[in-house]
Amino acid sequence: MKMAIQDVNLLCSNCSTKLTLHLRDSHGNAAQATSSATDLINGVKVEAFLGNLALLQAALVSDINNCSTETPFLLLSPTAVALPQVPSTNLIQVANDISVHMQCIAAIVGQFKWRKVTAIYQQKNSFDLSNGIITLLSDSLQVVHATIEQHVALPPISPLGSPEFNIEQELAKLRNNTNRVFILVQSSLELAIRLFRKATQMGMMETGYVWIVSDEIASLLDSVDPSVIFFMQGVIGYKTYFIDTIDAFRTFKLKFCQNYGAIYPQDRNSNPSIFALRAYDATWVIGKALHNQQGNVMSQVLLQNILLSNFNGLSGNISFRNGELAQTPTFQIINVIGKSYNEIASWSPTLGFSKKIPRQIDHGSNPAIDFVNDMPELGPIYWPGGQLTVPRGWDFNMVKPLRIGVPACGAFPQFVNVTRVQNGTEVTGFSIDVFKAALKYLPYPLPSHVWVPFRGNYDEMVQQIHLKGLDAVVGDMTILEERCHWAEFTQPYVRSGIGLVVPTKPDNTKETWMFMHVFEAKMWIIIPSFSLFIGFVVWLIEHGENPAFGDGSFSQQVGTVFWFSFSVLFFQQKESLKNNLSKVVLAPWFFLIMMLTANFTAALTSKLTISRIVPAAKDIETLRRENAVIGCNWRGFTCSYLENVLHIKPENIKQLRSIDDYPEAFQRGIIKGAVFITAHVNVFLAKYCKGYTTTGPTFTSGGLGFAFPKHARIVLDFSRAILKAIEIGEIDKIEREMLSSFNCSASATINSDSPILGLRPFAGLFYICGGAALVALTVLPLVNNRWSLSYTQGALKIRGVFSLLFLLLNRSSSGPNLQQLKQNSDAKSDDHVETRAT
């Protein structure tokens, strides 16, 4: 500010009004700063105030001295906050909106996909707005799907207190938690130095930790001793960008270093920070506003001129909107390494991350910023401990081993079996094997853990995760919506549903009329009808010239037709044929009979030789109608599913404690069916494969998964590990080994209701046989002139009747309606009669 006073007065040496600087050092004491500001306003009668006061503190000073609309206050705070309860227009913050700073922090967190962070801030004085800052940060983190797990407030440094002790206590608490992403949101440089020195001593600057510092610290790293940088290795942060290549900055930097070195000769790092540049520019704001004012100095006019300021200073464009800097800032993302830091990227609210640092493209009076090479990732970054890979941002609580709950009294010990041994508890089973298989594909080793047998039901065991009694749950636990309120589940390692198991009984179709089930019912009508039709056609052809068909009374002729039609089905006809037309009719019919006989024999043989069984109940709806009792696992969710979803009466639900209790309950008639998840169904049928089967539809439900605390970072990694084990077939292999261990094979097969023979496979042969018979009836009058007119007319009408009968039975074919067919048949008969008569 002294340099700015000199430059302003030198530039306007002929002006009647000169700037005079009145300095007051409050040594960081809020009360002393308020008193000094009041003295400057009332005692010295300053026309403008310039200092590092908090907004609330400046508002208090302004109200006390009745200068809320007159004396301008230029506040040099690191960030600008907006407070609706402070409407004073004379309070001008020479800083950027704090929400932009919080957005930058959130962008860094989101870039590396961290989900939980710990915010650390310093409570500087009673005018501090730390709680509001934490709220703004939380809102910004929600945009990138992250949350503040914990926030820690460090007290201000006092000569009477012990800051190192307080810092050590807070860091010890943080070290015992699982989160490893720490954000220093607000702090003085002195507190930050002590914090990182203590963190290094406590091993919190090693591999796995993440530290992010705000602009308030990062912008001062150019002026700190290398010994301070040593304790901050791997820290990332952001600092406000300003153009340091213009001549004005170089001239300022040279003078600043000379003046600073003269006062502090032992300090070798004297590079000006963004805050020094803003103090210089703020002084110029007052100087320009004063020189633009003509006549006597009036505070109100001076304030208006300040608010109308618009020029390019050393820190960037200086103009104000809503009582703060109007220019949108650009931040440099830095990574502390070695004796300094690397600039790894830049970020702005409008363009996001950019791989290269913005460069000046116009060295004139209005420089602009150009962003190039947008990139999806930041890097390379040297994290604490020298790690080059991005830390996952969390770690297990290494103070005590993980407590993993397992069901101690599950109905199916094949999944989880807890046994007592000399050294403690041994846990085995399918679910445990899957858990161990997934551990091999985790990107990090699981710390030491202990199995905790739990004797309550599964819902109570999951609730223990929410109550901090357990750190995880492993077992044959179905993922349910209600359980998701208490814990978070992994990807299912076994897909599952709800199925019904019932006893089996012999197939009742092996009875007296079993052969009737080979053909469909309509086939038993079509075959004899068609055989009678073929026999009648043959009789018509042979009647005139074959004594075997023409001799005898009317009743004898009718008997001949029926006997021939029946005997021809078994190739046992004794009548010899004289006419070749009869042979044309019988040839395709013999082939059709042979095909029907072969298929009938094969199907009947299959039914007779293979032992078949059927379920005792068709489905669960059948059991519900019969008011039958259904079994389920003791205190399992399937029992509530039966009552609440399938509407089974509570008195018809029987809870059983073990898989071995079900066969006895079936044999004694206590239950008629049992409801399991499909994973349990497979095990039950593998162990008791004789006498039981599954039937009815399978109801959809969540699969089997492992439970962890809500929002635990291990859930995603464990789900990926399970998917990896599934994709390479390891879980299927474990399941096959479990099911094959029972060595049970059924002696009978379940009747799967295989389809019986219908008309469709033989429809083509029926068409050929029927067509041959109709052709013979049509050709017969032309080759046999001995027929009389009446006899011919009767034969043609009989042919039409049998044609209609054939089409009626064979519904699989398409054609004209029956009335039209009859009319056509009658018309054809009349035509033939007329032709014959002629």
Side-chain angles (χ1 to χ4, degrees), residues 247-274:
D247 294 337
F249 175 79
R250 292 170 179 169
T251 303
F252 171 82
K253 180 179 179 181
L254 180 61
K255 293 176 59 178
F256 181 87
C257 292
Q258 291 175 351
N259 295 336
Y260 190 87
I263 302 175
Y264 306 101
Q266 72 282 1
D267 196 345
R268 293 172 294 178
N269 297 323
S270 57
N271 295 317
S273 67
I274 183 66

Side-chain angles (χ1 to χ4, degrees), residues 75-328:
L75 309 179
L76 299 176
S77 55
T79 56
V81 295
L83 296 177
Q85 65 269 28
V86 184
S88 302
T89 58
N90 66 323
L91 304 180
I92 305 171
Q93 302 175 84
V94 189
N96 297 114
D97 191 355
I98 190 174
S99 62
V100 181
H101 290 253
M102 299 301 104
Q103 291 171 19
C104 183
I105 295 176
I108 296 174
V109 173
Q111 185 71 21
F112 298 108
K113 297 180 175 57
W114 296 314
R115 292 295 172 258
K116 291 186 178 181
V117 302
T118 298
I120 303 175
Y121 59 93
Q122 179 185 10
Q123 288 182 329
K124 296 181 179 180
N125 50 57
S126 57
F127 301 101
D128 193 20
L129 300 174
S130 302
N131 293 333
I133 294 176
I134 297 302
T135 301
L136 289 174
L137 177 59
S138 177
D139 294 341
S140 299
L141 288 173
Q142 288 181 1
V143 178
V144 296
H145 310 290
T147 59
I148 299 177
E149 184 180 59
Q150 184 180 0
H151 57 87
V152 177
L154 298 177
I157 296 178
S158 171
L160 300 178
S162 178
E164 282 80 6
F165 177 76
N166 295 331
I167 293 173
E168 183 176 2
Q169 277 190 323
E170 297 297 337
L171 289 180
K173 296 177 184 178
L174 297 178
R175 186 177 56 182
N176 293 335
N177 294 334
T178 60
N179 184 59
R180 292 294 182 265
V181 180
F182 304 110
I183 303 175
L184 189 56
V185 182
Q186 173 182 281
S187 170
S188 64
L189 180 60
E190 183 180 1
L191 179 63
I193 293 173
R194 299 189 182 197
L195 175 67
F196 285 110
R197 182 182 292 114
K198 183 59 67 174
T200 302
Q201 296 173 359
M202 298 176 63
M204 298 180 67
M205 297 297 294
E206 301 297 331
T207 301
Y209 286 87
V210 176
W211 289 88
I212 303 174
V213 295
S214 64
D215 182 43
E216 189 174 3
I217 301 300
S219 291
L220 298 176
L221 294 181
D222 289 316
S223 57
V224 299
D225 191 83
S227 61
V228 175
I229 299 295
F230 172 78
F231 296 107
M232 299 179 63
Q233 297 298 300
V235 172
I236 60 175
Y238 68 96
K239 55 179 293 188
T240 303
Y241 172 75
F242 56 88
I243 302 175
D244 57 359
T245 57
I246 57 178
D247 294 337
F249 175 79
R250 292 170 179 169
T251 303
F252 171 82
K253 180 179 179 181
L254 180 61
K255 293 176 59 178
F256 181 87
C257 292
Q258 291 175 351
N259 295 336
Y260 190 87
I263 302 175
Y264 306 101
Q266 72 282 1
D267 196 345
R268 293 172 294 178
N269 297 323
S270 57
N271 295 317
S273 67
I274 183 66
F275 307 117
L277 301 183
R278 284 177 177 170
Y280 181 86
D281 291 339
T283 307
W284 267 99
V285 167
I286 299 174
K288 288 179 175 292
L290 183 62
H291 293 155
N292 290 334
Q293 183 176 348
Q294 298 179 358
N296 296 329
V297 177
M298 298 180 60
S299 297
Q300 188 172 4
V301 177
L302 181 63
L303 176 62
Q304 294 298 322
N305 290 336
I306 290 175
L307 293 175
L308 295 176
S309 299
N310 188 6
F311 65 94
N312 290 318
L314 297 179
S315 62
N317 179 261
I318 302 299
S319 59
F320 300 101
R321 182 175 59 246
N322 299 327
E324 60 189 38
L325 289 177
Q327 184 185 26
T328 300

Side-chain angles (χ1 to χ4, degrees), residues 517-539:
H517 294 278
V518 176
F519 285 136
E520 292 180 353
K522 66 179 181 180
M523 285 291 289
W524 292 111
I525 300 175
I526 292 175
I527 292 174
S529 301
F530 217 92
S531 182
L532 184 62
F533 169 66
I534 296 297
F536 180 75
V537 171
V538 172
W539 178 82

Side-chain angles (χ1 to χ4, degrees), residues 637-672:
F637 90 96
T638 51
C639 297
S640 59
Y641 188 88
L642 284 172
E643 181 179 356
N644 300 328
V645 179
L646 301 180
H647 306 294
I648 304 298
K649 297 179 181 179
E651 58 269 20
N652 291 337
I653 299 175
K654 179 66 176 179
Q655 299 188 27
L656 301 176
R657 291 180 176 270
S658 172
I659 179 177
D660 299 323
D661 296 337
Y662 287 92
E664 182 181 357
F666 276 121
Q667 294 172 6
R668 296 173 58 185
I670 299 176
I671 60 175
K672 299 297 183 181

Side-chain angles (χ1 to χ4, degrees), residues 8 244 391 521 617 676:
V8 170
D244 57 359
F676 304 117

Side-chain angles (χ1 to χ4, degrees), residues 699-773:
F699 303 97
T700 304
S701 68
L704 304 185
F706 304 134
F708 291 92
K710 292 184 71 66
H711 309 298
R713 274 65 59 93
I714 193 177
V715 175
L716 179 60
D717 295 333
F718 218 97
S719 296
R720 291 175 177 173
I722 290 175
L723 288 176
K724 181 66 174 179
I726 292 175
E727 291 173 359
I728 66 176
E730 188 167 352
I731 293 182
D732 289 338
K733 180 182 178 181
I734 298 173
E735 185 175 10
R736 287 194 301 269
E737 292 176 352
M738 175 186 64
L739 297 178
S740 62
S741 63
F742 296 104
N743 295 322
C744 180
S745 59
S747 59
T749 59
I750 301 299
N751 189 350
S752 58
D753 295 331
S754 58
I756 58 180
L757 298 175
L759 178 63
R760 183 174 295 274
F762 311 101
L765 293 176
F766 275 106
Y767 288 142
I768 294 174
C769 294

